[in-house]
């Protein structure tokens, strides 16, 4: 069978010129995208040009269009906004303006454009592409370009990347800048919560989103807000009384503060705006609560990009260059987008049309359809919010008479508490009695089990660590006592939130079912560990927070090196034998190398890395960053690598080392981890409810589950959340090193090397298929 694999080595950009521009509102991560386009373009042999000030620079020409070099994008990765400038451009909307832009591009031989912006910028680019041959004909007629130049530059190829903090573009789960904007919002909300608590205040926060409520919705989910108002879901008539009732109910529940989040485009059923002042007056008038308004404004666009946005933008930038290299004259303009955790290409105009359809549906008050058109990711967020936010009165609840226990196992991971809160509240809504087990399986066999109620988990989403307490103890040695506790408390289902020990623990519980009927109940595990080393899931709760901790520290370390010059830092990251944090952290921080266990290295590779850094010190980038996973090699320790670099770099650079340690496990959870934990635990609880009904034996009056599929791991696989029997994951696991045998992120390693100027092999077989947006949305089940 012929090998159908496609490698970057076989794609050449020689003789091609690529122009890169940022347009419309700025978004954090745009610089990371520009850097990736420039470096990937140069890597494949193309010339890359900066087009400064967006379309205005393209129309004005001159110094606005400059060739980029490898060094010219150094230090851009950690900078917010867009270094090459962005402007709203009226000239480009005119035919005359586009004619001047075409002339400026042809004069420099640019026929490939990479546009980073919102739907307006991308629509403009597509119009430009459609008019291109006509514009060239006009330029030939006026004698500004020759017939020959017109022939050579006859086709204009366009690839878009969506840079928009609102996440208002259909066809991608996340746009560049959205995650960073959520970071800004959550930082503010966490800070406001402490002052609101002191004074028993109500805070009304306005976040950006004129036409899209994504930021408001996800930040409300991530901070456990009392009420949220978004344009896609205007509140039903009589919402004012309902909201005030909910706020007063929360106060009666000893909650000292209320948070209401409003999107700037929030409207009521009659399309009338709902403003923060209107809500403040309402709360003061009806409840007499001390109420304050905070409008976040442009703070949300500012600051440094999050680790997620840097990785997203870097992956998209590389994919955009591949798309331009593979484009033929008939290829439609495409957008590089994210589906689950895969980069895909979708036709630009399909995305734009669907984005416009959402607005049309909202204008015509077809709000349910607007939510559906936004995509499954938006819909899931909304459904999860509805599920968690409205506490039903006891008489409204279905009564199930089932008892469900929740426990944390393994090392603490940020986001565990958000998952516990979500599970408890969804469980109560489904009619179950929820029990919390303290200190993992150790607390379980000691009987540290007590009922946990709705109010007990209030304010948990923003807390780091594990409030239930967690231990690494495995259940096998204490299985008799655990079975006894299951009987005493009549536990009918188990939800285990944790890392590799949780995975092993679930296997041990399942294996003991033959001896203990008490363990024949539905069990599900949700992965939560900073190491991201759980088989059956591409991501685990806590890994994003750890990545941000690594990235922030690396930023500071790089800044300290910019003063001293000629300095290389060796940084040790956590992860056990799993190189996820070192690799993906390296990509987000712009590292020169990352040593991991999964990719064995020897002294020759270390030597070539030192030589590479020596060359780098001759340029204007006089600093280096090397990451090392804590268990990547028994003999090449952090100290050894530090001493080797120090010795070999004598007279060229000096070295410093830094072990990041437990700071990677601590801190407040990132918005992604809060949201991921909340959604995945809610889904796990719904699965438990379904299985309890399925395995309930009426004749015996008990739950009995002894099938493989009644002990599952819920993980994110490529594009969807999937339940997988733990027994079936055995073959996918390297138990000695506690890692999955196959790991998706290893495909990102060549990216890090390319962006650090190493020649490497990069399998691009996954790239290249243009997917249609409708099919994409059908597949996109439960995308995060």
């Amino acid at each position: 069978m012929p090998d159908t694999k496609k490698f970057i080595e076989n794609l050449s950009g020689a003789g091609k010129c690529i122009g890169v521009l940022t347009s419309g509102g700025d978004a954090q991560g745009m610089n990371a995208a520009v850097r990736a386009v420039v470096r990937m373009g140069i890597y494949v042999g193309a010339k890359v040009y900066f087009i400064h000030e967006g379309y205005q620079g393209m129309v004005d020409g001159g110094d606005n269009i400059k060739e980029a070099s490898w060094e010219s994008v150094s230090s851009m990765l950690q900078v917010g906004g867009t270094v090459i400038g962005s402007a709203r451009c009226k000239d480009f909307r005119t035919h005359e303006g586009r004619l001047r832009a075409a002339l400026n591009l042809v004069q420099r031989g640019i026929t490939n454009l990479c546009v980073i912006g919102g739907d307006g910028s991308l629509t403009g680019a597509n119009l430009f592409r459609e008019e291109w041959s006509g514009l060239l004909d006009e330029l030939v007629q006026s004698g500004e370009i020759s017939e020959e130049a017109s022939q050579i530059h006859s086709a204009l190829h366009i690839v878009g990347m969506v840079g928009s903090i609102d996440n208002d573009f259909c066809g991608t789960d996340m746009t560049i800048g959205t995650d960073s904007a959520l970071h800004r919002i959550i930082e503010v909300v966490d800070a406001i919560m402490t002052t609101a608590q002191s004074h028993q205040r109500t805070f009304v926060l306005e976040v950006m989103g004129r036409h899209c409520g994504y930021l408001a919705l996800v930040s409300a989910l991530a901070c456990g807000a009392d009420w949220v108002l978004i344009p896609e879901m205007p509140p039903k008539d009589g919402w004012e009384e309902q909201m005030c009732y909910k706020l007063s109910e929360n106060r009666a529940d000893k909650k000292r503060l209320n948070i209401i989040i409003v999107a700037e485009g929030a409207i009521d059923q009659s399309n009338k705006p709902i403003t923060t002042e209107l809500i403040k007056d309402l709360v003061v008038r009806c409840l007499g609560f001390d109420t304050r308004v905070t409008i976040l404004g442009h703070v949300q666009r500012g600051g440094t990009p999050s680790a997620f946005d840097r990785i997203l933008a870097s992956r998209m930038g590389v994919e955009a260059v591949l798309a331009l290299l593979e484009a033929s004259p008939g290829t439609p303009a495409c957008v590089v987008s994210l589906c689950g955790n895969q980069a895909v290409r979708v036709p630009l105009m399909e995305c734009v049309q669907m984005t416009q359809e959402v607005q049309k549906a909202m204008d015509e008050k077809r709000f349910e359809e607007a939510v559906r058109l936004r995509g499954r990711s938006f819909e899931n967020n909304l459904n999860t919010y509805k599920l968690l936010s409205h506490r039903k009165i006891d008489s409204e609840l279905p009564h199930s008479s089932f008892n469900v226990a929740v426990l944390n196992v393994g090392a603490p991971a940020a986001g565990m508490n958000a998952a516990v809160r979500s599970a408890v509240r969804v469980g109560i809504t489904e009619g179950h009695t929820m029990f919390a087990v303290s200190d993992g399986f150790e607390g379980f066999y000691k009987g540290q089990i007590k009922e946990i109620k709705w109010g007990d988990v209030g304010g948990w989403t923003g807390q780091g660590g594990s409030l239930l307490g967690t231990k690494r103890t495995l259940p096998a040695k204490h299985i008799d006592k655990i079975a006894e506790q299951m009987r005493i408390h009549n536990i009918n289902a188990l939800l285990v939130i944790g890392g590799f020990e949780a995975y092993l623990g679930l296997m041990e519980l399942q294996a003991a079912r033959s001896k203990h009927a008490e363990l024949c109940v539905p069990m599900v595990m949700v992965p939560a560990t900073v190491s991201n080393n759980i088989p059956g899931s591409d991501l685990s709760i806590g890994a994003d927070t750890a990545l941000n901790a690594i990235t922030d520290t690396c930023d500071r370390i790089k800044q300290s090196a910019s003063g001293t010059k000629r300095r290389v830092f060796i940084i040790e990251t956590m992860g056990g034998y799993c190189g996820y944090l070192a690799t993906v952290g390296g990509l987000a921080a712009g590292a020169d190398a990352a040593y991991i266990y999964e990719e064995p290295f020897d002294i020759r590779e270390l030597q070539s890395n030192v030589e590479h850094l020596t060359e780098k010190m001759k340029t204007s980038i006089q600093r280096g960053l090397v990451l090392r996973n804590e268990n990547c090699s028994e003999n090449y320790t952090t100290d050894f690598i530090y001493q080797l670099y120090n010795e070999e770099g004598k007279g060229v650079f000096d070295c410093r080392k830094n072990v990041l340690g437990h700071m990677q496990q601590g801190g407040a959870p990132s918005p992604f981890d809060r949201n991921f934990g909340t959604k995945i635990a809610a889904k796990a609880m719904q699965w438990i409810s379904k299985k309890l009904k399925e395995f309930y034996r009426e004749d015996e009056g008990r739950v009995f589950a002894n099938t493989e599929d009644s002990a599952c791991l819920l993980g994110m696989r490529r594009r969807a959340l999937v339940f997988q029997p733990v027994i079936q994951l055995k073959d996918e696991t390297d138990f000695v090193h506690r890692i999955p045998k196959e790991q998706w992120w290893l495909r990102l390693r060549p990216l890090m090397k390319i962006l650090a100027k190493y020649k490497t092999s990069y399998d691009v077989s996954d790239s290249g298929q243009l997917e249609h947006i409708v099919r994409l949305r059908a597949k996109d089940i439960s995308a995060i």
Side-chain angles (χ1 to χ4, degrees):
M1 203 177 120
D3 188 13
T4 53
K5 282 193 177 260
K6 208 171 39 166
F7 289 94
I8 189 73
E9 301 90 295
N10 309 328
L11 288 172
S12 169
K16 294 196 172 178
C17 293
I18 300 170
V20 59
L21 69 144
T22 53
S23 172
D26 67 321
Q28 307 95 322
M30 279 183 165
N31 290 323
V34 170
R35 170 181 176 266
V37 170
V38 168
R39 291 197 167 172
M40 187 66 175
I42 292 171
Y43 182 87
V44 295
K47 274 187 175 183
V48 186
Y49 288 85
F50 289 135
I51 301 174
H52 290 273
E53 312 307 334
Y55 287 120
Q56 193 64 54
M58 201 194 290
V59 172
D60 295 345
D63 278 349
N64 287 307
I65 306 176
K66 274 190 189 145
E67 192 175 345
S69 67
W70 192 273
E71 285 84 35
S72 62
V73 290
S74 171
S75 304
M76 269 171 85
L77 194 57
Q78 62 269 34
V79 180
T82 164
V83 170
I84 58 173
S86 177
R88 312 261 179 207
C89 176
K90 285 188 183 145
D91 292 348
F92 195 73
R93 293 183 179 179
T94 66
H95 182 77
E96 186 51 46
R98 292 193 290 277
L99 193 65
R100 292 211 317 268
L103 175 63
N104 288 326
L105 294 187
V106 171
Q107 283 172 344
R108 291 162 181 82
I110 301 170
T111 54
N112 297 282
L113 276 187
C114 185
V115 182
I116 308 160
D119 60 339
S121 309
L122 298 178
T123 312
N126 192 61
L127 173 66
F128 192 41
R129 190 187 78 92
E130 286 170 354
E131 287 184 355
W132 183 255
S133 56
L135 293 170
L136 293 198
D137 290 345
E138 281 184 56
L139 291 170
V140 170
Q141 279 163 14
S142 63
E144 286 174 275
I145 62 168
S146 66
E147 184 65 53
E148 188 192 358
S150 164
Q151 296 292 305
I152 296 167
H153 306 109
S154 61
L156 177 69
H157 304 299
I158 281 175
V159 173
M161 283 183 267
V162 192
S164 158
I165 66 164
D166 294 340
N167 203 21
D168 56 354
F169 194 78
C170 296
T172 185
D173 285 351
M174 284 293 260
T175 58
I176 296 167
T178 305
D179 188 65
S180 301
L182 285 170
H183 272 258
R184 292 306 89 80
I185 295 168
I186 293 304
E187 282 158 16
V188 171
V189 175
D190 284 356
I192 276 175
M193 276 182 160
T194 54
T195 170
Q197 197 116 24
S198 309
H199 296 279
Q200 298 201 38
R201 281 190 174 138
T202 296
F203 268 85
V204 185
L205 270 89
E206 181 183 288
V207 300
M208 281 186 168
R210 215 167 310 144
H211 306 293
C212 177
Y214 185 89
L215 289 179
L217 179 59
V218 176
S219 52
L221 256 183
C223 73
D226 298 289
W227 203 265
V228 67
L229 291 151
I230 58 172
E232 293 88 344
M233 188 188 68
K236 294 188 168 68
D237 292 339
W239 64 273
E240 295 92 341
E241 292 81 41
Q242 228 182 331
M243 183 182 81
C244 290
Y245 174 72
K246 170 126 194 260
L247 298 181
S248 59
E249 190 186 37
N250 281 350
R251 283 294 171 91
D253 221 5
K254 301 193 176 61
K255 194 176 173 194
R256 292 177 59 89
L257 76 156
N258 302 110
I259 301 279
I260 300 163
I261 294 182
V262 189
E264 60 180 328
I267 47 171
D268 63 15
Q269 292 280 345
S270 331
N271 276 5
K272 277 217 258 341
I274 298 175
T275 63
T276 46
E277 284 303 323
L278 184 130
I279 291 168
K280 178 188 169 178
D281 295 344
L282 180 71
V283 175
V284 172
R285 194 175 69 246
C286 297
L287 300 169
F289 289 173
D290 185 359
T291 307
R292 296 283 190 277
V293 169
T294 300
I295 294 173
L296 267 65
H298 283 74
V299 165
Q300 295 160 84
R301 285 193 191 279
T304 184
S306 65
F308 182 97
D309 272 331
R310 298 180 196 197
I311 295 150
L312 174 69
S314 300
R315 286 176 72 184
M316 285 185 166
V318 167
E319 184 71 25
V321 172
L322 294 177
L324 287 171
L325 292 183
E326 292 173 0
S328 61
T331 314
C334 75
V335 171
V336 179
S337 78
L338 181 80
C339 185
N341 68 1
Q342 279 187 290
V344 292
R345 300 175 196 172
V346 282
L348 188 149
M349 282 324 284
E350 280 184 25
C351 298
V352 169
Q353 273 151 13
M354 188 166 290
T355 306
Q356 288 166 351
E357 271 176 48
V358 176
Q359 193 52 50
K360 193 168 173 235
M362 280 158 61
D363 292 341
E364 293 170 6
K365 300 186 187 177
R366 290 180 284 117
F367 296 110
E368 276 175 25
E369 195 177 337
V371 168
R372 197 176 50 73
L373 288 168
R374 278 261 181 251
R376 289 300 290 263
S377 172
F378 189 90
E379 216 171 340
N380 280 339
N381 282 316
L382 191 54
N383 292 338
T384 310
Y385 178 78
K386 285 177 181 171
L387 202 59
L388 291 169
S389 63
H390 298 304
R391 180 179 182 173
K392 291 180 180 168
I393 313 159
D394 288 346
S395 58
E396 291 176 356
L397 289 172
H399 189 62
S400 75
S401 74
F402 291 126
N403 296 342
V404 181
V406 182
L407 64 158
N408 291 160
V409 176
M416 275 181 163
N417 299 322
V420 172
R421 168 188 176 266
S422 172
V424 167
R425 292 196 169 176
V426 172
I428 291 170
T429 305
E430 306 254 320
H432 312 315
T433 304
M434 299 300 295
F435 286 85
V437 181
S438 302
D439 299 337
F441 288 117
E442 192 171 308
F444 210 142
Y445 83 80
K446 289 179 179 170
Q448 296 170 2
I449 304 167
K450 61 176 196 301
E451 191 182 339
I452 186 164
K453 296 208 156 73
W454 186 282
D456 297 338
V457 289
W460 277 33
T461 40
Q463 305 274 343
S466 163
L467 291 169
L468 287 184
T470 181
K471 289 268 170 73
R472 291 180 182 268
T473 314
L474 289 170
K477 288 179 187 164
H478 314 284
I479 213 84
D480 297 350
K481 287 183 178 170
I482 287 173
E484 191 188 343
Q485 291 297 336
M486 295 274 288
R487 195 187 70 252
I488 292 168
H489 293 279
N490 188 23
I491 302 295
N492 309 117
L494 271 186
L495 170 60
V496 185
I497 298 163
F500 207 83
E501 284 85 4
Y503 170 62
L504 295 174
L506 213 59
M507 283 184 170
E508 290 179 5
L509 292 176
Q510 189 174 21
R513 278 175 166 179
S514 54
K515 293 201 183 93
H516 299 279
E518 295 88 344
L519 299 175
C520 295
V521 298
M523 305 175 187
V524 64
M525 173 198 163
V526 164
T529 162
V530 298
S531 306
N532 197 26
N533 63 336
I534 308 297
S537 193
D538 292 351
L539 291 171
S540 60
I541 299 166
D544 184 69
T545 306
L547 272 182
N548 278 293
I550 292 166
T551 310
D552 289 350
T553 311
C554 288
D555 285 353
R556 290 178 186 197
I557 286 170
K558 275 165 79 175
Q559 204 166 25
S560 82
S562 65
T564 40
K565 297 273 192 278
R566 297 182 185 278
R567 182 163 281 180
V568 174
F569 283 90
I570 317 289
I571 294 173
E572 184 188 296
T573 67
M574 278 179 145
Y577 283 95
C578 177
Y580 175 81
L581 289 180
T583 298
V584 184
L587 186 58
D592 294 282
Y595 300 118
I596 61 168
Y597 164 77
E598 293 90 341
E599 202 173 89
F601 56 97
D602 56 19
I603 196 75
R604 283 178 295 280
E605 186 167 342
L606 289 170
Q607 182 60 39
S608 83
N609 290 154
V610 172
E611 285 164 10
H612 187 269
L613 280 165
T614 307
E615 282 306 302
K616 186 178 174 183
M617 293 300 159
K618 293 175 184 169
T619 71
S620 56
I621 318 169
Q622 298 189 340
R623 52 146 212 279
L625 190 64
V626 175
L627 268 61
R628 178 191 174 273
N629 160 267
E630 57 185 352
N631 288 351
C632 67
S633 164
E634 203 179 330
N635 297 311
Y636 298 137
T637 60
T638 303
D639 281 337
F640 176 89
I641 292 175
Y642 163 68
Q643 284 160 355
L644 175 86
Y645 271 66
N646 227 352
E647 185 60 37
E648 295 295 316
K650 260 192 185 148
V652 184
F653 57 79
D654 66 350
C655 247
R656 294 287 184 275
K657 66 173 179 190
N658 212 310
V659 177
L660 297 184
H662 281 75
M663 61 166 287
Q664 295 160 84
Q665 273 181 3
S670 67
F672 182 92
D673 278 332
R674 297 180 192 199
N675 194 12
F676 185 42
T678 299
K679 285 203 283 192
I680 198 169
K683 199 172 174 80
M685 273 313 301
Q686 288 172 318
W687 177 88
I688 283 176
S689 296
K690 197 172 104 210
K691 293 289 169 193
L692 283 169
K693 287 187 190 119
E694 200 177 302
F695 291 113
Y696 182 67
R697 296 184 171 180
E698 279 199 35
D699 49 336
E700 297 173 37
R702 66 171 180 146
V703 172
F704 187 83
N706 197 12
T707 55
E708 278 188 6
D709 71 347
S710 63
C712 279
L713 180 145
L714 172 56
M716 185 180 171
R717 278 276 170 104
R718 287 169 87 92
R719 301 183 180 192
L721 285 172
V722 235
F723 290 94
Q724 302 142 96
V726 281
I727 204 100
Q728 290 175 18
L729 294 171
K730 251 184 181 166
D731 295 341
E732 295 182 26
T733 313
D734 170 352
F735 286 99
V736 176
H737 299 101
R738 299 160 57 99
I739 52 174
K741 288 178 183 169
E742 276 188 30
Q743 302 186 85
W744 70 274
W745 52 264
L746 284 166
R747 296 199 305 272
L748 297 181
R749 276 187 74 76
L751 278 195
M752 189 194 77
K753 292 178 181 173
I754 287 169
L755 297 174
K757 215 175 186 175
Y758 282 95
K759 284 275 174 240
T760 185
S761 181
Y762 180 32
D763 180 356
V764 291
S765 316
D766 270 0
S767 303
Q769 291 76 38
L770 201 62
E771 299 206 7
H772 290 287
I773 190 166
V774 181
R775 206 183 93 226
L776 179 95
R777 275 196 41 249
K779 271 189 196 170
D780 176 19
I781 306 158
S782 317
I784 301 302

